[in-house]
Amino acid sequence: NDSAFWAAQDSVMKTNYFDTITGFFDTYHISTALAKAVMFDTSIQLSQYTVSDLAASTTSAVGTIGSEHVKESDWIQEFIKQRINKLNDMGGAYAGTTERLNPFTQLLNQGDLDFDSGAINVSIYNSDLSIYC
């Protein structure tokens, strides 16, 4: 257990993947933990540039969160749909990674967008997972 290694790894993740997308939260009126998690995961897998492209195309498709009766849950659902389409369009190994988005869809369907229930229960790759928060 190397605490210096873990601290360095956390710093790299924060600097290179999370900090690069936090500006999008204000731009696209993102406030829920689930939307931030989906965007963070997209940044890790595909880059901050893909997050930007998908956020813009999602907003074009469903509208701006908070206006035109657009709920954040609708926006998240469309973002996930567009990400799946992007992965499938990329083909190869990327097309096989759409399964990683299933937990986000499950959480969206559960309606607990800020993980306030105390437990997150999802299934991925034929395994049931519970995270208690």
Side-chain angles (χ1 to χ4, degrees), residues 61-82:
V62 298
T64 302
I65 295 169
S67 66
E68 306 156 22
H69 308 289
V70 177
K71 297 182 293 185
E72 193 160 339
S73 57
D74 298 329
W75 194 94
I76 297 167
Q77 184 175 19
E78 180 65 22
F79 187 94
I80 292 169
K81 176 184 157 192
Q82 292 208 21

Side-chain angles (χ1 to χ4, degrees), residues 25-61:
F25 302 158
D26 289 335
T27 301
Y28 294 101
H29 309 283
I30 301 299
S31 63
T32 64
L34 181 58
K36 291 174 183 179
V38 171
M39 293 174 84
F40 180 54
D41 185 66
T42 304
S43 178
I44 291 169
Q45 184 183 27
L46 298 171
S47 85
Q48 67 192 19
Y49 305 107
T50 302
V51 173
S52 178
D53 292 346
L54 291 177
S57 61
T58 296
T59 300
S60 292

Side-chain angles (χ1 to χ4, degrees), residues 31-36 71-74 76 104 107-116:
S31 63
T32 64
L34 181 58
K36 291 174 183 179
K71 297 182 293 185
E72 193 160 339
S73 57
D74 298 329
I76 297 167
F104 295 125
L107 291 168
L108 181 64
N109 292 337
Q110 292 169 17
D112 188 9
L113 304 183
D114 280 312
F115 314 136
D116 292 327

